[in-house]
Structure formats: structure tokens, C-alpha cells
Amino acid sequence: MYAMTPIYIPLDLQINTLLKLPVKSLLRFRSVSKLWSSIITSQQFRNHHLNIASSSPPPRLLIAFEDFYGAKLLVVSIPNPNVVLSSSSSSYKDLSLVNIKGKIVYNAGRGLICVGAGFENVGILLALDDLPWRLEHKIVVLGGEETWRESPCVACPHVVCTKGLYMNGTVYYGAFMKDIDSPHNSIIVRFDVRSETFNIFNVPSKLVPVGHECMWKERGWSATDKTLINYGGKIGVVESPSVCGFRLWVVEDAEKEEWSMSTFHLPESYVGVDFEVMDTFSSGEVCLVSKEWSDPFCLFYYNLEKKSMRSVAIEGLPISDFKKIQALSVTVSDHYESLLSL
């Protein structure tokens, strides 16, 4: 009998091969050897794997159905209809089976789902208390102590008004400066994830509607009708469509307070539908959801370049119990599977 000669595979080839595998396979392959386990669980590998995955269109979408008062939350992951040809009833994953504590899904980013109950989670592991008399800012860093700690905003005291937008290592959100009763109090806050620093830039006062306290809301605690989006690498602010259309503001030069504005009109077949803005996706389209749900559940995509609109029906979602509830919200986000964990 001849003894088998061990086959030598260079370490860099092993790592490059592992980087191409899906998360489910990597979790299983941790038990192959101590070497593979140390590679797969290392922070550098996890970040590199996610960066490779996120360089392509997201394979899945995350949809959350939220009942504010009943604290009922349904979170599903579906194949991205912009990547695959169809979404069938057997292709969704019910993430509610995981023990998710909270009642609002704010967004998803870098493979993590931001779920809140009391704090306004505006971005990648940055949480703000939106109560104006408290104004707490907290962050958590993965791979370290992984506990929430204070990160005060020294730029200026402010109240958060919008959900966060994560773009190129920075979290952006709309806010207004506390204790300043002026149209000039509307700001966009920038939080640099790497340096953990806050900066602000002003929203031009001419963009604040007459009679409004700031750009983001009218008076008091009224909810904002505006959403921050990634518009070709620039910050965009899009308002929820009214009877026949909506406006989009784009920050052309933050320091010079140069903004552009465009108006878009809905196709005649959608005029009068009450839409909410979800986000922009890799396709460059704005995702809209009707406040009046249909069966099957539908996503609507507005192409800002072609000024056209299309709908995608998502079959088989278990949302029958939610149709009877009044205080409902829906969140739609790009979703990448990730090795990162809290």
C-alpha cells in the first residue's frame, strides 16, 4: 500500500476560495478545521466577505410589517425581484422566527437589521433618542466590547426627524437644531462611522415651506413626509408623493448650500394612490409602497431617469392578520447576508 501524499494548498488560495462562498456554507465549514474556523471568524475576513458581496446587486430584499400599538412585527427576506425573475410563495424567509425584540425595523445595512423600541436607530449601529428633552446619542462597535456607549454630538444639540441613510462610510439624517425657532434650524447631520464624529450642514432656508418650523415637518410632533436617499452618490431628499407627483431635492454642494430640485409626475394609472417612500435601490429606482395594501402585496418602482413606474407583486406573504390593523408601517431595504453579529 502506498501512503497518500498530503496535498498542499497555499493559505491565500484557501482564503480566496472561502471568500466566494455563501454565508450558510461558511457557517458550516467552520467545523472543518481550527484553521478554517479562525479564518472565517476573523474580523478582517468577515469585512472582506461582506465588501465583496455588497459590490453586486443585493440578492434579497428585507420587508418588515409593523403594528405600532400591538407590538406585532413580521420580518421577511425575499429574493430581490430586480435580480431574479419572480418571487414565489415558497421563496420567502420568515425572520420573525428569530427572537427579534422590538416593534420597529428602521433599516438594514451591512448584513445587520436595525430594530428599535424607544430609540431612533438611524444607521449602522448608531442610535438616537428622538425625545427632545433627552437627546441621547449611543453607538456600539462590533468586535470590541459590543456594548452601547455614549457618543455626544458636540456639533450642536438637535432632534432627529428622518431615518438614516448609510453611504460610503457615513450615516446621514435630517434634523432640526434644538431651541432655535427659525427656518434656518433645518440641518442634515453627518456621522462618520470610522472616526465616530458628527458634523452638520444647513438646509437652505428657501427650501423650508412657509409656515413650517423646518424642512422635515410642519408643527409639533407631526411625522415627516421626507426620506433621505442615495441619488447617484449624492444625498437626495424625496417627499412622499401627493395626488399626482413628488419633488426631489439633491445636495449638489453642501458647503455652499447649493441644492437642486426636480418635480416628478406619477403615471395616470397611479394618480390618487397614497404612497410612502421606502428607499432607492441598486437599480437607481425609488421604491414606493401603497398605504392601502393589496393581495398580493406590491412594491412600486419609480425610475427617476426615465420618469416611468412599474409594480412587482410579491406572492404568498403571510400578512392577512395585518390587513385589519390601522396603525401600520412597512419598511423595505436591500438585504445582504453577513457573518457579522452582535
Side-chain angles (χ1 to χ4, degrees):
M1 296 181 64
Y2 295 96
M4 295 184 64
T5 304
I7 300 176
Y8 172 73
I9 302 178
L11 180 60
D12 58 345
L13 181 58
Q14 295 183 55
I15 294 175
N16 288 334
T17 301
L18 291 173
L19 285 170
K20 298 176 182 178
L21 298 178
V23 169
K24 187 175 182 179
S25 298
L26 291 172
L27 294 176
R28 190 169 64 249
F29 289 164
R30 288 181 302 180
S31 60
V32 170
S33 68
K34 290 184 178 180
L35 174 61
W36 278 23
S37 178
S38 64
I39 291 173
I40 294 170
T41 57
S42 69
Q43 187 71 32
Q44 182 178 6
F45 180 89
R46 291 186 294 181
N47 287 333
H48 196 181
H49 183 270
L50 182 57
N51 289 337
I52 292 175
S54 57
S55 64
S56 302
R60 306 188 71 82
L61 292 182
L62 186 79
I63 305 180
F65 302 90
E66 303 135 359
D67 166 20
F68 292 122
Y69 299 123
K72 191 173 183 179
L73 177 64
L74 172 66
V75 184
V76 296
S77 173
I78 67 168
N80 189 343
N82 295 314
V83 177
V84 298
L85 294 179
S86 64
S87 293
S88 65
S89 59
S90 61
S91 60
Y92 77 87
K93 295 180 181 178
D94 186 351
L95 302 184
S96 304
L97 299 176
V98 182
N99 187 21
I100 299 178
K101 295 183 178 180
K103 60 180 180 180
I104 303 174
V105 173
Y106 288 102
N107 48 30
R110 293 188 64 80
L112 298 174
I113 303 172
C114 298
V115 183
F119 274 78
E120 181 81 8
N121 291 269
V122 298
I124 309 304
L125 304 170
L126 165 67
L128 306 181
D129 193 331
D130 59 2
L131 296 177
W133 55 85
R134 203 154 56 192
L135 296 179
E136 295 180 355
H137 303 71
K138 294 185 178 182
I139 61 172
V140 63
V141 179
L142 298 182
E145 296 180 359
E146 298 187 355
T147 56
W148 290 98
R149 56 183 170 81
E150 293 287 340
S151 179
C153 176
V154 296
C156 73
H158 61 269
V159 178
V160 61
C161 296
T162 73
K163 292 183 180 180
L165 167 68
Y166 179 74
M167 187 169 64
N168 301 326
T170 303
V171 177
Y172 300 88
Y173 58 92
F176 67 85
M177 292 184 286
K178 191 172 180 290
D179 301 327
I180 298 180
D181 187 14
S182 165
H184 298 279
N185 71 352
S186 302
I187 59 174
I188 289 181
V189 181
R190 293 179 288 196
F191 176 76
D192 188 289
V193 174
R194 188 174 297 275
S195 65
E196 298 182 13
T197 55
F198 290 89
N199 289 287
I200 67 169
F201 58 87
N202 296 320
V203 175
S205 58
K206 64 182 179 180
L207 300 184
V208 180
V210 176
H212 287 215
E213 289 184 341
C214 69
M215 183 180 187
W216 314 113
K217 57 180 65 180
E218 294 184 24
R219 293 284 176 185
W221 293 98
S222 61
T224 183
D225 67 340
K226 297 179 177 65
T227 304
L228 267 62
I229 64 171
N230 181 344
Y231 184 72
K234 297 180 180 180
I235 303 170
V237 179
V238 60
E239 66 181 357
S240 297
S242 57
V243 176
C244 58
F246 61 93
R247 291 173 295 178
L248 168 69
W249 295 267
V250 178
V251 182
E252 304 292 351
D253 191 314
E255 304 304 324
K256 296 180 180 179
E257 296 187 12
E258 294 180 355
W259 294 46
S260 61
M261 189 193 79
S262 302
T263 300
F264 299 90
H265 299 283
L266 299 178
E268 288 188 11
S269 57
Y270 296 107
V271 171
V273 179
D274 196 2
F275 286 111
E276 285 187 275
V277 177
M278 295 292 106
D279 205 344
T280 48
F281 295 120
S282 55
S283 60
E285 297 169 298
V286 175
C287 180
L288 305 172
V289 169
S290 171
K291 293 181 181 179
E292 295 291 331
W293 293 3
S294 60
D295 189 10
F297 181 76
C298 287
L299 298 176
F300 300 86
Y301 292 90
Y302 191 96
N303 190 305
L304 296 171
E305 299 300 323
K306 298 179 181 179
K307 297 185 177 181
S308 60
M309 194 164 171
R310 63 188 178 93
S311 63
V312 176
I314 310 298
E315 301 278 356
L317 295 182
I319 59 174
S320 57
D321 291 341
F322 284 84
K323 294 179 182 178
K324 306 172 185 177
I325 302 171
Q326 298 298 320
L328 279 173
S329 178
V330 179
T331 303
V332 182
S333 307
D334 284 340
H335 183 46
Y336 294 93
E337 292 186 331
S338 168
L339 290 165
L340 297 175
S341 63
L342 287 173

